[in-house]
Amino acid sequence: MSVLAVIFSSVVLSSDGIGFIALITIFLTAIKLITCKGEKLEPNTFELWLLAYFMIVIISLAGSTLFALSLKGFMKTFTYLGFYLSVAHYLKNNTNKIPYIFAAIGICISFEGVIGFLQNFAQVEEISTWQDVSNLNPEEVMTRVYGTLKPYNPNLLGGYFVAGLPALFGLSAYFAVEKKIKSLIISLFLTLISVAALFLTGCRGSYLGCLVIFAGFFAVSAKYLWKNYKKIYLSFIAFCFAIFTSAILFVSSLRARVLSIFAMRQDSSNSFRFNVYQSSIQMFKDNWLLGIGVGNKNFREIYGLYMRTGFDALSAYNIFLETAVESGIFALVAFFGFLIVLIKESVRFILKSSEIKCVIFVASALISILALMVHGMVDTVFFRPQIQFIFWIMVAVISSGLHRVRL
């Protein structure tokens, strides 16, 4: 129940509120491990890389020049990893609960999708400068929706869709296998709304993440459809491609937003990110061994010494660069090791397993993680709790699937 509470609270509570519920989940798991005989943690290979990452973060914390601020960031990292261990430990013996967890994520994603449509029709005004309109005609200016997630930001909502949409896709596939037609129709309808709402966020990073989601599910479905339904399969891919292409060609605001990805320095948002990357790389060069200490507040304080005038930033706008800056080169290696082993073992499971339902959930989780990594290459919202907790739930789903292989 506490896991579901974390999921549902993400759409209404602040970061502190969501984190508090997650801490309750960690506390309950700790009590269970201590009091119940036979309860123990059984790490997968990729979890050993996570342990190495966590130990390096502790060392980075100890060496931080801004220990108090870094400690706050460390507590967030502790909460995320503790929550992951709690969910992974629960799911290893309760894989039948995964559909309910996916359903909870799907409900939240769908709710935000509906809110996004309402905001689009109401033509909500920007709370801050969310797009460069200096070179746009009035009809090319997009109404960027931001949902109910706090703090209000269309990029946060876009990242939230990227994290959660694979759960809706996975539920649709699960209902198809179970031959629950009514549930399948509802889930497909909600998926369509959520995909459309993702594009209404105007978040270009989430557009890239959405491409990864579709490519991932097309690739996984080929395992079951290519041999007997090749023509139908290829026709459906062509249909989806035609829909997306038509939307970009005929919706001027969407077309302008997509083309701005390639505008480089001519778009102020792109130029801002390039400036942040340059400053962050210099920060890493000066603190390559242990980093500056984990946490966005710590980052912001140190970044002030490196930033170009007028280009303040909350983070490095890149997951991997952020990891390197905060905790050093060895933390980056450990994080890469975690991702590489996780992806490798997940792909092996998807290719070899004959349990189609388990394959659906593991594949959905893997696609969510891959899409978030692509989105996180150009944005900072990956570190927001609304997205982080879904990310770690997806890792826990993969962990439970791999645990079944070892039994």
Side-chain angles (χ1 to χ4, degrees):
M1 288 299 293
S2 61
V3 176
L4 296 181
V6 169
I7 295 171
F8 286 121
S9 67
S10 66
V11 300
V12 292
L13 295 184
S14 64
S15 298
D16 291 339
I18 303 169
F20 178 75
I21 298 175
L23 286 173
I24 293 176
T25 305
I26 297 170
F27 176 76
L28 293 175
T29 302
I31 295 296
K32 183 179 180 180
L33 288 170
I34 294 171
T35 59
C36 297
K37 292 184 179 180
E39 294 286 342
K40 60 180 180 178
L41 298 175
E42 301 177 44
N44 290 297
T45 305
F46 67 82
E47 290 171 333
L48 298 178
W49 283 99
L50 269 185
L51 177 61
Y53 169 77
F54 184 67
M55 297 304 294
I56 295 169
V57 168
I58 293 176
I59 297 173
S60 176
L61 168 67
S64 176
T65 56
L66 297 175
F67 182 82
L69 291 178
S70 189
L71 181 61
K72 293 180 181 179
F74 171 79
M75 290 307 299
K76 292 180 181 179
T77 302
F78 171 81
T79 302
Y80 293 142
L81 294 180
F83 178 78
Y84 159 69
L85 289 176
S86 299
V87 179
H89 180 70
Y90 173 74
L91 288 182
K92 74 175 184 180
N93 295 319
N94 297 277
T95 53
N96 61 317
K97 303 299 183 183
I98 294 177
Y100 299 101
I101 292 176
F102 271 38
I105 295 173
I107 290 170
C108 292
I109 293 296
S110 303
F111 171 77
E112 291 297 333
V114 172
I115 295 297
F117 266 98
L118 294 176
Q119 290 178 341
N120 181 66
F121 288 130
Q123 294 186 333
V124 291
E125 296 182 359
E126 294 183 356
I127 297 176
S128 61
T129 306
W130 287 337
Q131 59 184 320
D132 186 352
V133 299
S134 58
N135 297 317
L136 299 179
N137 296 321
E139 68 273 9
E140 294 178 327
V141 177
M142 174 178 283
T143 298
R144 299 190 63 187
V145 303
Y146 49 84
T148 66
L149 306 183
K150 299 176 181 178
Y152 298 134
N153 188 316
N155 287 353
L156 173 57
L157 181 59
Y160 190 66
F161 282 131
V162 169
L165 268 173
L168 275 173
F169 277 89
L171 273 179
S172 299
Y174 172 76
F175 290 139
V177 171
E178 288 285 291
K179 297 181 179 179
K180 297 181 178 180
I181 305 303
K182 290 183 179 180
S183 298
L184 172 61
I185 293 173
I186 293 173
S187 63
L188 287 174
F189 177 71
L190 295 176
T191 300
L192 181 63
I193 290 177
S194 301
V195 170
L198 180 151
F199 283 93
L200 293 178
T201 65
C203 175
R204 297 167 298 176
S206 69
Y207 294 172
L208 300 176
C210 189
L211 287 177
V212 174
I213 292 172
F214 274 92
F217 277 103
F218 285 146
V220 174
S221 61
K223 175 181 178 179
Y224 303 101
L225 302 177
W226 183 262
K227 185 176 181 180
N228 298 319
Y229 305 97
K230 182 178 179 180
K231 291 183 178 180
I232 297 176
Y233 174 76
L234 292 175
S235 298
F236 182 71
I237 293 177
F239 173 75
C240 291
F241 180 78
I243 290 293
F244 285 121
T245 303
S246 298
I248 293 173
L249 290 176
F250 295 111
V251 181
S252 57
S253 59
L254 179 60
R255 181 175 65 251
R257 195 66 185 153
V258 171
L259 291 178
S260 69
I261 296 174
F262 310 99
M264 304 305 285
R265 285 282 186 179
Q266 295 179 6
D267 181 86
S268 63
S269 181
N270 294 348
S271 183
F272 166 75
R273 281 168 169 75
F274 291 142
N275 288 328
V276 173
Y277 294 153
Q278 291 174 356
S279 298
S280 298
I281 290 172
Q282 189 58 50
M283 289 172 66
F284 170 66
K285 289 180 179 179
D286 292 344
N287 304 274
W288 66 272
L289 185 59
L290 296 177
I292 62 174
V294 69
N296 64 301
K297 292 184 179 179
N298 190 54
F299 178 93
R300 192 167 188 177
E301 288 292 324
I302 303 296
Y303 183 80
L305 303 175
Y306 292 84
M307 74 175 184
R308 296 189 176 189
T309 304
F311 291 95
D312 189 18
L314 295 175
S315 77
Y317 281 83
N318 181 291
I319 294 172
F320 307 107
L321 182 55
E322 179 80 13
T323 301
V325 169
E326 290 186 350
S327 303
I329 185 65
F330 296 110
L332 179 62
V333 170
F335 189 69
F336 266 126
F338 153 68
L339 286 176
I340 291 171
V341 175
L342 175 71
I343 294 169
K344 181 180 178 180
E345 293 187 352
S346 299
V347 170
R348 183 187 297 121
F349 175 85
I350 293 168
L351 292 176
K352 294 184 178 181
S353 177
S354 59
E355 299 181 55
I356 184 170
K357 295 176 187 176
C358 198
V359 169
I360 288 172
F361 294 129
V362 170
S364 299
L366 177 62
I367 290 168
S368 174
I369 291 168
L370 291 175
L372 280 173
M373 292 301 100
V374 171
H375 182 204
M377 291 288 288
V378 293
D379 215 327
T380 182
V381 294
F382 173 77
F383 297 99
R384 291 290 183 184
Q386 294 93 335
I387 296 175
Q388 274 279 304
F389 285 122
I390 293 181
F391 172 80
W392 291 115
I393 287 172
M394 293 303 184
V395 177
V397 168
I398 292 176
S399 178
S400 67
L402 298 181
H403 177 75
R404 289 172 63 89
V405 175
R406 300 203 306 267
L407 294 179

